[in-house]
């Protein structure tokens, strides 16, 4: 088993979920660029994948994270695509949130 150690401090910007709905019942996301108050910076890790997506390891104290939430390290920001809480039975210190995200703005090849 490989362990990915923290390599940066990540701050979560968690949007209000669920989003409000319009008159037809369609979820209405907040305006682009509208970020809520930042959370507490916590140890995390980020790695770029060959397909241009990013995988992040986030402190479980930030759970729940939802698609559309934003993570930042002070230099880069990412928008969450998926987030899954990973628990290691009997070893709570090894718990983390596995996140697949896109870099903001996306890199252009």
């Amino acid at each position: 088993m490989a362990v990915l150690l923290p390599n940066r401090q990540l701050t979560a910007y968690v949007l209000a979920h669920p989003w409000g709905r319009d008159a037809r019942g369609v979820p209405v996301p907040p305006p682009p660029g509208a970020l809520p108050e930042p959370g507490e910076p916590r140890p995390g890790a980020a790695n770029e994948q060959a397909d241009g997506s990013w995988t992040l390891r986030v402190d479980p104290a930030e759970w729940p994270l939802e698609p559309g939430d934003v993570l930042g390290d002070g230099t880069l920001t990412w928008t969450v695509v998926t987030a899954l809480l990973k628990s290691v039975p009997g070893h709570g210190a090894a718990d983390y949130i596995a996140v697949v995200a896109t870099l903001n703005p996306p890199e252009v090849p």
Side-chain angles (χ1 to χ4, degrees), residues 3-107:
V3 176
L4 183 60
L5 297 175
N7 60 8
R8 63 191 73 217
Q9 291 284 98
L10 294 173
T11 300
Y13 300 85
V14 179
L15 300 168
H17 294 284
W19 292 337
R21 295 184 176 266
D22 67 12
R24 295 184 196 107
V26 176
V28 179
L35 290 179
E37 290 297 314
E40 186 75 25
R42 300 180 192 276
N47 289 310
E48 186 173 14
Q49 303 302 302
D51 67 358
S53 67
W54 286 73
T55 57
L56 291 88
R57 303 289 190 267
V58 181
D59 189 295
E62 298 297 348
W63 186 254
L65 288 175
E66 300 284 342
D69 290 341
V70 175
L71 297 165
D73 68 358
T75 303
L76 302 174
T77 62
W78 300 267
T79 299
V80 174
V81 175
T82 64
L84 180 62
L85 182 61
K86 299 287 202 166
S87 298
V88 181
H91 302 281
D95 294 352
Y96 64 97
I97 303 171
V99 173
V100 174
T102 57
L103 185 64
N104 299 328
E107 293 177 334

